[in-house]
């Protein structure tokens, strides 16, 4: 008898929109193969359901008989969703809830309920734990967020400049006649002028004080551990990153809002950029891949692809998905594959992405494509624009994008009417440009 080897067939795995890799095997014809546990990472808001083999659903541990090359495909199903609702706990008004996927983080909003009489908002209570607006909670079941109230102070903290008492009465004119002029909500009352304070991940002292007419007040700000202050708004106007602010001769109500950000979000950002970076973070424009990096360094093509994807998501309200088929032999970066799937980046060839520092014309091109994918008209008549002196140095494929961005004041020239198409950009400059896009469109 003469014997020969049985044919062998490859068993391979298809992530079907998931990410990661699973090793296949070579199996002899007729042998049984035991389907393994899933090792792919699920697409966003999905969970593993089963394997699909030849159109049949199979569970991990099931055995299949191999008679030909076999592709085992991951099948996904939606994660459960849970309602987040709000309880006024004696207050009045309404707050809209939300529906959140299991395992997702939810950022607690500012209170919108009206407080019970002689009370002010203290914090939220979630599962018996006190939480501040801006805190994140992980949703694993239906969640009720309850407003907690505390007694409203009638005097300013004695450590401030405002003395107790000396509260203006209804007789402001001194002529013995009651002033019946209607007062807007939050302005002067029989107790004084309200200074409404707001901070996320920190404290303001004193909190929501009442100030007698003509008196002074000093507010102190502090961020909680792990956070830093990046801006202070007085009546909606930025006054910079301060740890205190003083009002003199108070004659009206004011609003004070202190903005904080996680420490370590950036390193070595220039002073001009810190406020812009804080605002970019507030709009979720800083991708994880660059958090904690030196923002004074040049940004790479892969890093900027992640930023451009954030721009698309912010303007479209949609989540970008990873391309199912990766054409690039030199990267499997998920942000790059999201950008490729959207047509934001095409690589330098059909098979190479070729990472490196991004040029200004490449940056303009990626941003214009992101805007177009988000439904924004990026057309421009090149014959009607004033050309840069270094127009001849631009690539033909980049000119439309360069002049569109320049016409909107989003990416400006570098001086002497030059654009510097082959120049690079710092991380902080790239984020500031993307923030301009969001503000413009």
């Amino acid at each position: 008898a003469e014997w020969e080897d049985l044919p062998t067939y490859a068993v391979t795995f298809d992530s079907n929109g998931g990410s990661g890799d699973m090793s296949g095997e070579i199996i002899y014809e007729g042998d049984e193969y035991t389907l393994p546990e899933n090792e792919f990472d699920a697409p966003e808001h999905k969970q593993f359901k089963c394997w699909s083999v030849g159109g049949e659903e199979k569970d991990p541990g099931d055995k299949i008989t191999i008679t030909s090359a076999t592709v085992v495909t991951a099948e996904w199903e939606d994660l459960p969703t849970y309602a987040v609702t709000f309880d006024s706990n004696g207050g009045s008004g309404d707050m809209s809830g939300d529906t959140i996927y299991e395992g997702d983080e939810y950022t607690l909003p500012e209170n919108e309920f009206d407080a019970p009489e002689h009370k002010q908002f203290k914090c939220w209570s979630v599962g018996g734990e006190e939480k501040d607006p801006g805190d994140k909670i992980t949703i694993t079941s239906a969640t009720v967020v309850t407003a907690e109230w505390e007694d409203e102070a009638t005097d300013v903290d004695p450590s401030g400049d405002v003395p107790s008492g000396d509260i203006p009465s209804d007789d402001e004119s001194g002529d013995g006649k009651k002033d019946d002029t209607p007062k807007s909500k939050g302005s002067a009352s029989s107790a004084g002028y309200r200074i409404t304070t707001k901070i996320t991940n920190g404290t303001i002292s004193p909190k929501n004080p009442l100030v007698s007419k003509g008196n002074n007040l000093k507010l102190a700000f502090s961020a909680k551990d792990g956070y830093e202050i990046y801006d202070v708004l007085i009546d909606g106007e930025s006054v910079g990153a301060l740890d205190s602010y003083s009002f003199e001769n108070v004659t009206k109500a004011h609003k004070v809002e202190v903005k904080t950000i996680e420490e370590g979000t950036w390193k070595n950002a220039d002073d001009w950029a810190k406020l812009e970076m804080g605002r970019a973070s507030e709009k979720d424009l800083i991708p994880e891949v660059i958090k904690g990096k030196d923002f004074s360094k040049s940004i790479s093509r892969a890093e900027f692809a992640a930023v451009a994807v954030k721009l698309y998501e912010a303007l479209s309200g949609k989540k970008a998905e990873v391309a199912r088929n990766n054409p690039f032999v030199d990267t499997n970066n998920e942000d790059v594959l999201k950008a490729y799937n959207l047509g934001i980046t095409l690589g330098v060839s059909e098979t190479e992405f070729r990472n490196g520092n991004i040029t200004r014309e490449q940056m303009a091109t990626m941003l214009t494509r992101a805007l177009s994918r988000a439904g924004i008209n990026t057309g421009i008549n090149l014959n009607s624009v004033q050309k840069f002196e270094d127009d001849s140095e631009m690539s033909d494929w980049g000119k439309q994008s360069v002049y569109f961005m320049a016409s909107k004041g989003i990416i400006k020239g570098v001086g002497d009417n030059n654009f510097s198409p082959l120049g690079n950009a710092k991380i902080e400059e790239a984020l500031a440009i993307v923030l301009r896009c969001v503000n413009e469109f």
Side-chain angles (χ1 to χ4, degrees):
E2 298 292 330
W3 307 101
E4 62 182 3
D5 290 339
L6 283 170
T8 58
Y9 298 108
V11 177
T12 56
F13 292 86
D14 180 354
S15 67
N16 190 24
S19 58
D21 295 295
M22 286 187 65
S23 300
E25 285 197 46
I26 303 297
I27 306 295
Y28 282 106
E29 183 181 55
D31 278 7
E32 284 190 330
Y33 177 74
T34 302
L35 293 171
E37 295 293 328
N38 169 57
E39 297 176 9
F40 292 123
D41 293 322
E44 189 172 28
H45 300 146
K46 300 283 186 180
Q47 63 184 4
F48 181 74
K49 178 186 178 186
C50 63
W51 296 116
S52 176
V53 182
E56 292 186 17
E57 293 187 351
K58 301 286 185 180
D59 293 321
D62 286 354
K63 296 180 184 297
I64 57 174
T65 301
I66 302 303
T67 58
S68 61
T70 302
V71 178
V72 180
T73 302
E75 297 292 333
W76 310 103
E77 61 185 1
D78 290 338
L79 281 170
T81 58
Y82 299 108
V84 177
T85 55
F86 292 86
D87 180 353
S88 66
N89 190 24
S92 58
D94 295 295
M95 285 188 64
S96 299
D98 212 338
T99 300
I100 306 297
Y101 282 100
E102 182 180 58
D104 274 10
E105 284 189 330
Y106 177 73
T107 302
L108 293 171
E110 296 295 330
N111 169 57
E112 296 176 11
F113 292 124
D114 293 323
E117 190 174 14
H118 304 311
K119 297 286 186 179
Q120 63 185 13
F121 181 75
K122 178 186 178 185
C123 63
W124 295 117
S125 175
V126 182
E129 292 186 18
E130 292 188 351
K131 301 285 185 180
D132 293 322
D135 285 353
K136 297 179 185 294
I137 57 175
T138 301
I139 303 302
T140 58
S141 62
T143 302
V144 178
V145 181
T146 303
E148 297 293 333
W149 310 102
E150 62 185 0
D151 290 339
E152 185 178 57
T154 56
D155 289 318
V156 178
D157 189 305
S159 63
D161 292 329
V162 183
S164 299
D166 192 24
I167 301 300
S169 67
D170 288 332
D171 176 12
E172 294 282 4
S173 63
D175 60 5
K177 296 180 180 179
K178 182 176 179 179
D179 182 1
D180 292 322
T181 304
K183 295 178 175 63
S184 61
K185 184 178 179 180
S187 63
S189 71
S190 59
Y193 292 103
R194 172 68 67 194
I195 309 298
T196 304
T197 59
K198 174 182 174 182
I199 187 172
T200 301
N201 299 311
T203 58
I204 299 177
S205 181
K207 179 181 178 182
N208 294 324
L210 289 165
V211 184
S212 301
K213 182 180 181 181
N215 280 336
N216 303 329
L217 171 71
K218 182 177 181 179
L219 294 172
F221 316 131
S222 62
K224 75 179 186 182
D225 288 346
Y227 290 82
E228 60 182 297
I229 294 170
Y230 74 85
D231 195 19
V232 175
L233 302 178
I234 306 296
D235 297 327
E237 296 293 327
S238 171
V239 294
L242 305 175
D243 57 14
S244 65
Y245 187 85
S246 295
F247 291 96
E248 296 183 357
N249 187 27
V250 173
T251 58
K252 66 177 183 177
H254 293 281
K255 291 183 178 180
V256 178
E257 182 176 3
V258 179
K259 303 275 193 176
T260 61
I261 193 170
E262 285 187 79
E263 289 181 341
T265 300
W266 58 67
K267 295 177 183 175
N268 300 329
D270 291 330
D271 288 341
W272 69 265
K274 290 179 180 178
L275 178 56
E276 297 293 280
M277 298 307 95
R279 290 172 175 168
S281 177
E282 194 174 328
K283 295 180 182 293
D284 193 26
L285 296 175
I286 304 181
E288 291 295 328
V289 69
I290 61 175
K291 285 184 178 178
K293 290 193 173 182
D294 186 339
F295 277 25
S296 67
K297 300 295 186 183
S298 294
I299 191 167
S300 71
R301 281 166 40 78
E303 290 168 342
F304 193 76
V307 173
V309 167
K310 282 287 190 183
L311 172 64
Y312 163 79
E313 292 178 335
L315 293 178
S316 70
K318 301 176 183 177
K319 283 290 185 181
E321 295 184 358
V322 176
R324 290 186 61 179
N325 298 313
N326 179 4
F328 303 124
V329 297
D330 58 348
T331 184
N332 59 1
N333 182 298
E334 286 194 9
D335 292 316
V336 170
L337 294 179
K338 287 179 181 179
Y340 172 77
N341 199 36
L342 289 166
I344 292 172
T345 182
L346 306 177
V348 298
S349 73
E350 291 184 357
T351 59
E352 282 188 297
F353 175 73
R354 200 178 302 170
N355 198 20
N357 290 338
I358 195 166
T359 66
R360 284 166 54 83
E361 68 176 1
Q362 289 172 340
M363 187 165 59
T365 301
M366 279 197 195
L367 289 178
T368 304
R369 289 172 180 165
L371 293 174
S372 295
R373 291 294 292 166
I376 293 164
N377 183 3
T378 58
I380 190 170
N381 183 356
L382 291 180
N383 294 324
S384 65
V385 299
Q386 180 184 352
K387 299 294 193 295
F388 286 106
E389 292 294 327
D390 51 1
D391 176 87
S392 61
E393 299 176 21
M394 297 178 193
S395 303
D396 288 340
W397 50 260
K399 287 186 179 182
Q400 187 84 18
S401 298
V402 165
Y403 284 109
F404 173 78
M405 286 291 163
S407 72
K408 297 295 184 181
I410 294 171
I411 304 181
K412 302 173 183 178
V414 296
D416 297 327
N417 195 35
N418 286 304
F419 184 78
S420 185
L422 301 182
N424 302 133
K426 298 177 182 179
I427 293 176
E428 62 190 15
E429 292 171 338
L431 288 172
I433 287 168
V434 171
L435 180 62
R436 284 184 210 138
C437 284
V438 172
N439 292 337
E440 174 72 19
F441 300 108

